[in-house]
Amino acid sequence: MSPAATEPPLKMDLDLPTGDEPVEEVLEPKKRCAGVLVHPTSLPSPYGIGDIGKPTLDFLVWLNKGGQSLWQFLPLNPPDHGGSPYSTPSAMAANPILIALEPLVEVGLLQQSELADLQKADKPRVDYPTLTPIKRRLLRLARD
């Protein structure tokens, strides 16, 4: 007998009707929903890259007005040296470039003038090699 034949069958946790439910409950259609797949870094921003700040809040309002109820995004962890978030140095860490800098300006941890380098780097496509060191420098400045 093969080892597979001696293993217990897989249990599947499905919410199937048992036969005791009223027909109306079993046949009740589920509410359909729709949404989009967009990474926060793709959202518009005057700083060259979208973040978890005002661009995200504006996007969520726009989704809601459009009747969308789902927002799926790609991994938010730091990418590897090649830029892939799927081959990350940490599956538990968030990518620091997603931190919004405007709230740090509002509470006085940064000055608006310090964001000028990011504004100069604003291009039609995200320029990670240019933006990442600038944003990390600004986050360290706010921290210190």
Side-chain angles (χ1 to χ4, degrees), residues 101-111 142:
L101 299 178
E102 290 167 330
L104 300 177
V105 170
E106 291 170 12
V107 298
L109 295 174
L110 290 173
Q111 300 299 313

Side-chain angles (χ1 to χ4, degrees), residues 26-100:
V26 174
L27 297 178
E28 184 176 305
K30 302 275 186 203
K31 180 181 175 193
R32 292 180 63 119
C33 54
V36 295
L37 168 66
V38 176
H39 197 268
T41 57
S42 298
L43 298 173
S45 166
Y47 305 112
I49 189 168
D51 55 38
I52 309 291
K54 184 160 178 11
T56 299
L57 296 175
D58 292 343
F59 179 66
L60 291 173
V61 168
W62 179 80
L63 281 177
N64 186 289
K65 286 181 180 177
Q68 304 297 298
S69 55
L70 300 173
W71 175 25
Q72 180 180 355
F73 43 82
L74 303 170
L76 301 177
N77 45 355
D80 67 0
H81 295 293
S84 172
Y86 297 102
S87 180
T88 181
S90 173
M92 301 300 176
N95 191 341
I97 66 170
L98 293 172
I99 297 172

Side-chain angles (χ1 to χ4, degrees), residues 9-31:
L10 291 175
K11 283 193 171 183
M12 302 200 54
D13 188 63
L14 299 175
D15 189 20
L16 298 173
T18 62
D20 298 330
E21 299 86 354
V23 172
E24 297 81 18
E25 187 177 317
V26 174
L27 297 178
E28 184 176 305
K30 302 275 186 203
K31 180 181 175 193

